[in-house]
Amino acid sequence: MRDIAICAYQQTDIVSDAGAQNEVELIMPVLGRTFAQAGINNAQDVDFVCSGSCDYLQGAAFAFVLGVDALGAVPPIKESHVEMDAAWALYEAILKIRMGHANSALVYGFGKSSPGELPIVLSQQLDPYYLAPLWVDSISLAALQARLMLEQGLITERDMAEVVSRSRRNARNNPHAQLKGDISPEDVLAEETYVSPLRKSDCCPVSDGACAMIIATVDQAQAWGLPYAVISGIDHCIETHNLGMRDLTDSVSTRMAANHAGMNAGKVDVAELYAPFSHQELILTRALGLDAETQVNPSGGVLAGNLMMASGLSRIGEVFNRIVNGEAQRGIAHATSGPCLQHNLVAVLEKGENA
Amino acid sequence: MSQPEILNQAFELGFTYTRSTGPVVGRFLTELKNRRIVGIKASDSRVVVPPMEYDPDTAEELSEFVEVGEQGEIVSFAWVKEPREAHPMDVPFAWAMIKLDGADVPMIHCVAAASEGDVKTGARVRAVWADETIGFITDIRCFELV
């Protein structure tokens, strides 16, 4: 099997409202910087392109096609799209390369969530007969999950507040983060509840932005002469859409994906976890069995800014950055989709020879 | 110069087709219209409400319906201080996972309550039916504390 490497990663600042900028205007500067980092000219210089976005955020069918305007798709390119986080676009691109149909790929994700009411938009991803007609929002579902954890004594509100405090502090070193600062767990606990038992700080903010990545076979990455990180494993697993039949206090699918991706074959220096709610970071850390040896969410994670359809790919990009900067030898990145961590992807990244 | 008349036409975005809900979801919705709640037996005999067409663990097709009670117990809840416009209630309420009597798996619906302090895990609730039932999940308008 051909080893695949990440060669470039760029993202926008994560902002609460990109104003009049449309999706193409969010994507184009990021693509320009990504091409520059990889030392290539444009999308013509890679063999395959795959994007992740959600038409529901734009409120129009086939809205993702507009994103292709950012690529300059003439002369024709090989292009695909997932109606998912771009972490799954990366998965598709990896399959394409593994099958020998491409040696390099551009992957990008974008989301402008500010114009709509995101928690309500997300209610429409639920069971179309039993839940979507009730408009159960994503924050309320996470609150049901958090209460199960709290009342079973698995976590305390203070544990959750500590996750928030660490996220905001770590985010001070992340130039792209939306929420950052020096707030203590006590400051978080002093906040009133929002959708009880959650406080507003327990929930990721609504954000706009985009990110992009270039991957290639290790042979191609070496030919380009770029520092790279090898994707030594990647897998994703999904649980039932029936929330009542899941153990919401655990993340079985994350653990399965991590095992399949080979996470436990070595030390994990860094983990970037897609936890949109503070208690979910605790669920994920435990499901993966991470201990003090692993630095969790040094970027601040998505509590510091959550780009719908791009934050999963961003987690992978953050681990890539740390490996090529020499801060880590090996790390894992996690992406999630669906309510209460229903669908989870885990990628294992390792230092490449040029890194 | 006089202002030109602005032409306008009312427009409602909608899907102008009907969907068949099939033998499982359709049965559940038809029973709701008759103010009854049914679940279905999963491969391991757990009673799942609302019924699922396939067992999530074994992928076996499910078909054994079981009538369950219209009362049950709160398994978890979220208190909504400020209901959103789309929400089914316009005053503060709770979303809850509710295990109905005779069911093994909780369902999610809303619970009417005067204040957050009135809602507890383990509290008993009862379905409140809509004035007119039409075979839709909102035939259960909400649950209320017993």
Side-chain angles (χ1 to χ4, degrees):
Chain A
M1 201 158 63
R2 309 201 295 168
D3 284 335
I4 297 169
I6 301 173
C7 306
Y9 171 75
Q10 295 290 328
Q11 69 169 86
T12 60
D13 287 343
I14 307 171
V15 297
S16 63
D17 185 350
Q21 276 188 301
N22 66 27
E23 285 77 1
V24 172
E25 290 167 324
L26 288 173
I27 300 163
M28 282 194 76
V30 178
L31 292 186
R33 294 205 307 275
T34 310
F35 296 141
Q37 187 181 355
I40 61 176
N41 296 312
N42 53 43
Q44 302 291 335
D45 292 342
V46 290
D47 298 333
F48 181 61
V49 179
C50 196
S51 61
S53 72
C54 176
D55 283 359
Y56 279 68
L57 297 181
Q58 280 153 287
F62 293 94
F64 70 90
V65 176
L66 300 175
V68 179
D69 277 349
L71 296 169
V74 176
I77 56 171
K78 289 180 186 161
E79 188 270 342
S80 183
H81 174 262
V82 294
E83 192 76 8
M84 306 179 80
D85 188 287
W88 278 269
L90 171 70
Y91 188 87
E92 179 175 335
I94 286 173
L95 295 184
K96 199 90 172 171
I97 294 176
R98 280 194 183 164
M99 288 188 298
H101 294 170
N103 288 321
S104 59
L106 166 69
V107 179
Y108 65 98
F110 58 98
K112 192 176 175 189
S113 302
S114 63
E117 190 181 356
L118 184 61
I120 288 294
V121 172
L122 291 175
S123 75
Q124 299 309 290
Q125 74 182 331
L126 304 171
D127 184 300
Y129 302 105
Y130 300 156
L131 288 176
L134 297 175
W135 302 92
V136 195
D137 62 279
S138 50
I139 297 171
S140 296
L141 291 175
L144 293 174
Q145 182 182 37
R147 188 179 301 278
L148 287 170
M149 301 282 294
L150 291 165
E151 294 191 349
Q152 289 178 27
L154 298 168
I155 56 168
T156 62
E157 291 188 33
R158 191 177 170 88
D159 295 334
M160 294 166 67
E162 282 170 359
V163 170
V164 175
S165 172
R166 186 167 39 75
S167 160
R168 298 289 166 80
R169 284 182 173 152
N170 286 351
R172 289 180 304 183
N173 299 317
N174 178 354
H176 303 299
Q178 180 181 342
L179 300 178
K180 55 181 93 178
D182 194 8
I183 64 166
S184 67
E186 288 73 23
D187 294 334
V188 176
L189 290 170
E191 247 181 66
E192 61 172 335
T193 57
Y194 175 45
V195 178
S196 171
L198 297 178
R199 292 172 171 82
K200 214 157 200 164
S201 297
D202 290 311
C203 312
C204 62
V206 173
S207 317
D208 295 344
C211 69
M213 178 179 283
I214 287 176
I215 61 168
T217 59
V218 166
D219 289 345
Q220 177 68 71
Q222 288 174 342
W224 279 339
L226 298 168
Y228 62 88
V230 175
I231 303 170
S232 65
I234 187 167
D235 194 26
H236 66 111
C237 297
I238 191 166
E239 295 172 48
T240 171
H241 68 279
N242 187 334
L243 287 150
M245 294 189 87
R246 285 174 50 195
D247 178 0
L248 296 178
T249 67
D250 189 10
S251 185
V252 180
S253 52
T254 299
R255 190 161 46 243
M256 282 174 70
N259 287 338
H260 295 163
M263 178 189 109
N264 296 315
K267 185 167 169 273
V268 179
D269 300 324
V270 61
E272 279 284 340
L273 308 177
Y274 194 159
F277 298 91
S278 60
H279 65 279
Q280 292 178 346
E281 187 182 301
L282 299 165
I283 294 174
L284 291 168
T285 306
R286 291 173 189 185
L288 292 168
L290 299 176
D291 56 24
E293 209 172 55
T294 303
Q295 197 186 7
V296 174
N297 287 346
S299 70
V302 299
L303 290 177
N306 180 35
L307 297 177
M308 290 305 300
M309 308 298 133
S311 272
L313 187 65
S314 284
R315 308 275 65 67
I316 299 164
E318 288 286 349
V319 174
F320 161 75
N321 282 342
R322 267 160 235 285
I323 288 176
V324 296
N325 291 343
E327 294 167 42
Q329 295 281 319
R330 187 171 184 272
I332 62 155
H334 159 266
T336 198
S337 178
C340 301
L341 305 172
Q342 183 195 359
H343 187 183
N344 297 285
L345 176 147
V346 175
V348 180
L349 273 58
E350 295 178 7
K351 189 172 178 287
E353 278 166 23
N354 291 2
Chain B
M1 219 174 93
S2 64
Q3 289 292 321
E5 187 191 352
I6 296 170
L7 297 175
N8 64 67
Q9 173 71 49
F11 174 70
E12 192 180 335
L13 178 64
F15 299 106
T16 56
Y17 52 82
T18 54
R19 268 185 298 194
S20 164
T21 48
V24 175
V25 178
R27 168 76 183 270
F28 173 76
L29 296 175
T30 304
E31 296 283 359
L32 283 186
K33 193 175 177 186
N34 298 321
R35 297 169 194 253
R36 279 193 301 265
I37 304 173
V38 295
I40 206 160
K41 270 198 180 169
S43 306
D44 59 2
S45 295
R46 280 191 296 173
V47 175
V48 184
V49 183
M52 295 179 81
E53 292 164 315
Y54 298 93
D55 187 286
D57 294 324
T58 65
E60 188 189 336
E61 198 171 342
L62 305 178
S63 59
E64 194 182 335
F65 288 92
V66 181
E67 185 168 353
V68 298
E70 60 173 39
Q71 286 196 22
E73 186 182 305
I74 292 179
V75 174
S76 184
F77 69 95
W79 183 252
V80 181
K81 273 184 196 168
E82 291 173 30
R84 294 171 181 272
E85 199 182 331
H87 278 164
M89 290 194 209
D90 54 13
V91 292
F93 70 99
W95 289 111
M97 300 176 79
I98 300 161
K99 190 144 83 176
L100 293 174
D101 297 339
D104 296 300
V105 170
M107 66 180 284
I108 292 172
H109 214 295
C110 53
V111 174
S115 73
E116 182 176 359
D118 293 342
V119 189
K120 298 265 186 307
T121 296
R124 299 279 303 165
V125 291
R126 173 198 305 125
V128 179
W129 295 96
D131 294 336
E132 189 196 354
T133 52
I134 57 170
F136 207 58
I137 189 67
T138 48
D139 285 352
I140 301 174
R141 187 197 293 153
C142 62
F143 284 80
E144 62 182 8
L145 295 162
V146 177

